[in-house]
């Protein structure tokens, strides 16, 4: 059995950064990854990078060949090839950056615990190698997450059913794409495929569209989707899926009145969320605590209930954002080698973005949440069309909204639905995290024309 200073299970964002950090400190590190197709983690191979690449491609296709399915489908095929080329490049760079360090050993295989300090590795079938054991004084679980597949009759092994990890490998553009779920994944794929020319119908079980978003912003997004030929059906409880000669039929009922419906499409995307990937880890051999959602329970420094075993990234549940996995690495680094000041609680509020077209981004409280908590607030709204840069970009759809505490004059929430929103929200987040008053953004000198100068106008009311 080989002995290491650290074992990292999973080659994701936080894990690869941690491996390099530990190796540079002369730790002997073993990294175990179940599939060479996932080197670098979900973001590079099946998440942020391929989806955002395809969203950019779809926006171009919509501008150039709007309402011309044949031409848009050709661009779709070319976009898939460019996406694959980029993913391959980034995956290879990740492997190169990791394996060139002499203190890091990369193993292809599935890891499972034998006891709290030892894991068994079953090599990938193509390796034709026997299983072996590794031991370490510190072990880090970074196995990520996997799509949730709801228990729907006819879903399993259906050739027309896809997840976010498989749909972008389908080389035929659907004429009519059905999507179960209207969260971030469902909405991003909806606008992506609508941009390429597909008709898209979203089936959402809930009665409220984007329930955690600001109500005004949610309504703006819903209207924007309609203009893109994307239909959203709320209260849709899927009963079963059935193959047809050239596609799939979803049978569902309207939860508000029980009315049955049948909807035909030629592909169906399941976008009902993701769950921590803990299968096959044999956590019961360690005493590690897992919550009701299957996430590994950690403290504010990311230690599990077994002090020398840590968890970072999606496997610990909560918000599954790539940038939080990076911060997880920073927390562990600070705990092991720094001042022990960083923690998961200290990083809030955290912004998030949904890369629709235009995109939506948010940080802090919504107006509804601020009112429920009894804050004295003032609200400002600015239509995206009021920003000159939005007009030069020919994307004037959307609205910007900010919530300020009238007593402290500090920003407590901001929702942006406009082009470049994922960039703009970082400026608002920086102001909030550094304790700036809203006047800091109201009076800041931004370049012109830029979307960021819209923050001058948004915070002018305060």
């Amino acid at each position: 059995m080989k002995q290491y200073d650290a074992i990292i299970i999973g080659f994701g964002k936080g894990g690869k950064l941690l491996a390099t950090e530990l190796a540079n400190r002369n730790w002997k590190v073993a990294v175990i990854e179940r599939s060479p197709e996932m080197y670098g983690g979900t973001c590079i191979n099946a998440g942020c990078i391929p989806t955002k690449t395809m969203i950019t491609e779809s926006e171009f296709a919509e501008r150039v060949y709007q309402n011309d399915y044949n031409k848009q489908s050709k661009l779709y095929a070319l976009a898939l090839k460019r996406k694959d080329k980029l993913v391959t490049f980034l995956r290879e760079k990740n492997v190169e950056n990791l394996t060139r360090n002499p203190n890091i050993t990369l193993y292809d295989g599935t890891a499972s615990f034998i006891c709290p300090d030892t894991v068994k590795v079953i090599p990938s079938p193509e390796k034709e190698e026997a299983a072996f054991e590794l031991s370490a004084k510190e072990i880090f679980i970074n196995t990520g997450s996997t799509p949730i597949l709801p228990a729907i009759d006819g879903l399993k092994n259906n050739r027309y059913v896809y997840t976010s990890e498989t749909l972008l490998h389908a080389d035929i553009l659907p004429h009519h794409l059905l999507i179960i779920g209207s969260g971030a994944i469902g909405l991003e794929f909806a606008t992506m495929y609508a941009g390429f020319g597909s008709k898209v119908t979203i089936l959402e079980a809930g009665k409220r569209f984007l329930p955690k978003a600001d109500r005004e912003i949610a309504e703006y997004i819903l209207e924007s989707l309609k203009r893109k030929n994307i239909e959203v059906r709320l209260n849709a409880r899927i009963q079963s899926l059935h193959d047809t000669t050239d596609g799939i039929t979803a049978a569902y009922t309207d939860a508000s009145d029980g009315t049955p419906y049948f909807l035909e499409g030629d592909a169906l995307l399941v976008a009902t969320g993701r769950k921590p990937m803990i299968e096959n880890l044999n956590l019961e051999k360690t005493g590690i605590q897992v919550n009701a959602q299957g996430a590994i329970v950690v403290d504010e420094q990311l230690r599990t209930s077994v002090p020398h075993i840590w968890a970072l990234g999606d496997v610990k549940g909560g918000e599954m954002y790539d940038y939080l996995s990076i911060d997880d690495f920073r927390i562990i680094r600070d705990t092991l080698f720094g001042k022990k000041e960083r923690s998961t609680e200290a990083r809030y509020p955290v912004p998030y973005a949904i890369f629709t077209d235009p995109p939506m981004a948010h940080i802090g409280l919504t107006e509804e949440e601020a009112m429920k908590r009894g804050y004295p607030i003032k609200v400002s709204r600015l239509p995206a069309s009021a920003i000159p840069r939005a007009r030069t970009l020919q994307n004037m759809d959307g609205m910007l909204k900010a919530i300020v505490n009238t007593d402290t004059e500090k920003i407590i929430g901001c929702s942006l639905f406009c082009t470049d929103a994922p960039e703009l929200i970082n400026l608002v987040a920086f102001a909030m995290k550094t304790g700036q008053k809203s006047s800091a953004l109201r009076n800041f000198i931004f370049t012109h024309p830029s979307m960021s100068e819209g923050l001058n106008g948004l915070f002018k009311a305060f």
Side-chain angles (χ1 to χ4, degrees):
M1 179 171 61
K2 293 185 179 180
Q3 177 73 38
Y4 288 89
D5 295 306
I7 293 173
I8 299 175
I9 306 173
F11 190 172
K13 176 74 79 173
K16 68 185 181 184
L17 293 172
L18 181 61
T20 301
E21 177 72 25
L22 297 177
N24 288 340
R25 293 176 180 271
N26 211 33
W27 286 37
K28 300 299 181 183
V29 181
V31 177
I32 307 167
E33 173 53 54
R34 63 184 173 86
S35 170
E37 296 299 309
M38 291 301 290
Y39 286 160
T42 299
C43 177
I44 286 175
N45 296 285
C48 318
I49 298 302
T51 56
K52 277 53 176 182
T53 300
M54 291 297 291
I55 288 169
T56 299
E57 295 271 6
S58 74
E59 291 170 357
F60 173 78
E62 184 176 29
R63 284 196 301 270
V64 177
Y65 295 124
Q66 189 172 19
N67 299 323
D68 191 330
Y69 174 87
N70 290 331
K71 290 182 178 179
Q72 285 171 290
S73 63
K74 290 179 181 178
L75 284 183
Y76 174 74
L78 293 173
L80 286 176
K81 292 179 181 178
R82 286 191 285 266
K83 177 265 298 181
D84 290 341
K85 184 177 180 180
L86 174 59
V87 168
T88 299
F89 168 76
L90 293 175
R91 184 189 300 143
E92 290 175 350
K93 289 295 294 183
N94 271 266
V95 175
E96 178 187 339
N97 291 339
L98 201 71
T99 57
R100 70 184 178 188
N101 193 310
N103 286 331
I104 299 175
T105 304
L106 176 61
Y107 293 100
D108 292 335
T110 302
S112 59
F113 283 94
I114 296 175
C115 64
D117 62 359
T118 304
V119 298
K120 178 181 180 181
V121 181
I122 300 177
S124 304
E126 57 270 18
K127 293 285 185 180
E128 298 182 350
E129 297 175 358
F132 54 90
E133 296 178 7
L134 304 176
S135 182
K137 63 179 182 179
E138 303 286 344
I139 299 177
F140 304 88
I141 303 173
N142 182 46
T143 48
S145 61
T146 188
I148 295 172
L149 296 178
I152 298 174
D153 183 36
L155 184 147
K156 192 174 181 180
N157 299 322
N158 190 308
R159 60 177 174 158
Y160 297 110
V161 173
Y162 300 87
T163 68
S164 58
E165 295 183 353
T166 60
L167 184 55
L168 290 184
H169 293 290
D171 55 3
I172 298 177
L173 178 67
H175 281 274
H176 187 189
L177 174 65
L178 310 182
I179 299 178
I180 301 177
S182 65
I185 294 174
L187 292 180
E188 289 184 1
F189 273 80
T191 55
M192 178 200 308
Y193 277 85
F196 280 118
S198 299
K199 173 179 171 51
V200 178
T201 303
I202 298 174
L203 301 173
E204 168 57 48
K207 62 181 180 180
R208 197 180 191 193
F209 178 68
L210 285 178
K212 294 182 180 180
D214 180 272
R215 288 299 85 207
E216 285 183 284
I217 297 296
E219 288 300 319
Y220 268 81
I221 296 173
L222 196 56
E223 290 300 317
S224 178
L225 295 175
K226 291 178 182 178
R227 290 192 290 271
K228 291 180 177 294
N229 198 30
I230 299 171
E231 183 182 7
V232 179
R233 300 189 184 185
L234 302 176
N235 296 305
R237 304 296 172 88
I238 311 298
Q239 305 299 317
S240 59
L241 302 174
H242 306 275
D243 287 355
T244 61
T245 54
D246 55 357
I248 189 169
T249 297
Y252 72 95
T253 57
D254 187 323
S256 64
D257 58 18
T259 304
Y261 291 93
F262 297 90
L263 184 63
E264 293 185 359
D266 47 357
L268 183 143
L269 169 67
V270 179
T272 49
R274 298 178 67 88
K275 63 180 181 179
M277 190 181 293
I278 61 171
E279 290 82 2
N280 303 318
L281 282 175
N282 286 338
L283 295 179
E284 63 274 9
K285 300 287 187 179
T286 66
I288 290 174
Q289 185 180 353
V290 176
N291 67 19
Q293 290 72 45
I296 294 177
V297 177
V298 295
D299 63 16
E300 292 184 14
Q301 278 70 44
L302 304 174
R303 286 190 181 92
T304 69
S305 50
V306 180
H308 72 279
I309 302 178
W310 314 61
L312 64 161
D314 291 359
V315 75
K316 68 184 190 312
E319 299 104 326
M320 296 182 179
Y321 305 139
D322 183 67
Y323 45 92
L324 291 189
S325 183
I326 297 173
D327 194 58
D328 287 349
F329 152 68
R330 297 186 186 116
I331 291 171
I332 293 175
R333 179 182 61 185
D334 180 65
T335 303
L336 289 174
F337 311 112
K339 297 180 180 180
K340 299 176 175 57
E341 296 176 342
R342 299 187 74 100
S343 72
T344 54
E345 292 303 313
R347 64 190 178 196
Y348 290 97
V350 172
Y352 71 86
I354 301 177
F355 287 78
T356 47
D357 177 27
M360 187 276 270
H362 174 80
I363 186 171
L365 303 178
T366 65
E367 180 181 5
E368 188 176 25
E369 290 169 336
M371 292 178 67
K372 283 182 178 179
R373 298 189 188 188
Y375 286 111
I377 63 171
K378 189 172 182 180
V379 180
S380 177
R381 302 167 183 83
L382 182 75
S385 58
I387 306 172
R389 180 57 174 162
R391 292 183 177 273
T392 66
L393 293 172
Q394 299 179 38
N395 194 340
M396 296 173 284
D397 199 3
M399 182 178 75
L400 296 75
K401 183 174 180 178
I403 318 296
V404 168
N405 185 317
T406 54
D407 287 346
T408 64
E409 298 181 34
K410 292 183 178 180
I411 307 163
I412 59 175
C414 185
S415 296
L416 309 174
F417 177 53
C418 61
T419 186
D420 287 349
E423 298 289 344
L424 296 183
I425 204 67
N426 292 319
L427 294 170
V428 180
F430 187 79
M432 292 175 67
K433 294 288 285 185
T434 55
Q436 303 291 318
K437 293 183 177 180
S438 60
S439 57
L441 293 177
R442 179 188 68 205
N443 299 325
F444 195 84
I445 301 174
F446 294 104
T447 55
H448 173 81
S450 66
M451 288 301 296
S452 56
E453 68 178 336
L455 297 177
N456 288 153
L458 179 62
F459 289 97
K460 186 178 181 180
F462 305 118

